Amino acid sequence: MKSFFDLVHERRSVRSYNEKQVPPDLIERAIEAARLAPSAHNSQPWKFIVVDNTAIKNEIAAACTSPRMPINKFVPKAPVIVALVSERRGLLMRLASLLKRRKFHLIDLGIAAEHFCLQAHDDGLGTCMIGWFSERRVKKLLKVPFGRRVHLLISLGYTDDKKVRTKKRKSAEEMLSYNRY
């Protein structure tokens, strides 16, 4: 069994998928890990939409790129795309967000998304969080109700690229201080 440190050390954004289909039980394990994520005031402001229908998935993949910004070309190869939708928040969380000028629901979605990705990695799957997409097109394709937002997509699948690449990160000295900035 891997340690948590090994898991976060190894996990990468995967941009190369093979054609192997993802078993539903592994998708559900990743969803369960996300479901158990903490959230402000236990608001759980999320809904996960798993897209494994090829036609719908390809339409969503098309919404992830544009001729002027040729990025995310890997998305059509992923057998699954998961959309993270923010649900309506209760009055207390809306007030807290206004008073503190923090979008707590976005913090919560990020935590849940990372739980999803870490569980997927632990089960031998690759993921990539995607923020560049046409939200309007994705909402229409997935029939997301008015008042809800699709904040993030996650590609999911198996990869043939098994090498653990060195992470390029700032040094601890650049991003850490104690007691003062």
Side-chain angles (χ1 to χ4, degrees), residues 17-163:
Y17 296 97
N18 64 35
E19 309 233 343
K20 185 176 178 184
Q21 293 301 304
V22 180
D25 64 310
L26 294 186
I27 297 169
E28 290 167 13
R29 276 173 53 94
I31 295 291
E32 180 65 5
R35 187 184 73 80
L36 294 172
S39 61
H41 202 257
N42 198 27
S43 58
Q44 304 171 52
W46 50 63
K47 182 166 182 83
F48 288 74
I49 302 174
V50 175
V51 181
D52 57 2
N53 174 286
T54 303
I56 299 170
K57 182 196 65 79
N58 289 341
E59 290 282 336
I60 291 173
C64 292
T65 190
S66 71
R68 286 173 289 207
M69 187 62 73
I71 59 172
N72 296 333
K73 291 185 176 191
F74 65 93
V75 179
K77 298 274 188 188
V80 177
I81 298 174
V82 179
L84 275 73
V85 178
S86 62
E87 288 295 291
R88 292 184 191 265
R89 294 164 285 144
L91 180 61
L92 177 65
M93 289 315 303
R94 290 196 314 267
L95 283 173
S97 289
L98 285 172
L99 291 171
K100 288 299 181 182
R101 296 185 321 193
R102 287 193 182 91
K103 297 183 178 182
F104 293 110
H105 67 291
L106 296 181
I107 296 167
D108 297 340
L109 285 174
I111 296 167
E114 186 61 7
H115 274 52
F116 178 95
C117 291
L118 288 171
Q119 182 60 58
H121 177 77
D122 195 45
D123 286 336
L125 296 163
T127 59
C128 187
M129 293 188 202
I130 303 160
W132 181 276
F133 59 92
S134 168
E135 182 184 6
R136 193 182 89 232
R137 285 174 60 192
V138 171
K139 282 181 70 170
K140 185 175 180 180
L141 286 163
L142 299 179
K143 300 181 181 355
V144 175
F146 179 79
R148 307 308 199 277
R149 299 272 323 263
V150 179
H151 288 285
L152 187 66
L153 301 175
I154 302 175
S155 59
L156 175 70
Y158 290 98
T159 182
D160 293 327
D161 183 8
K162 298 293 183 189
K163 65 182 174 209

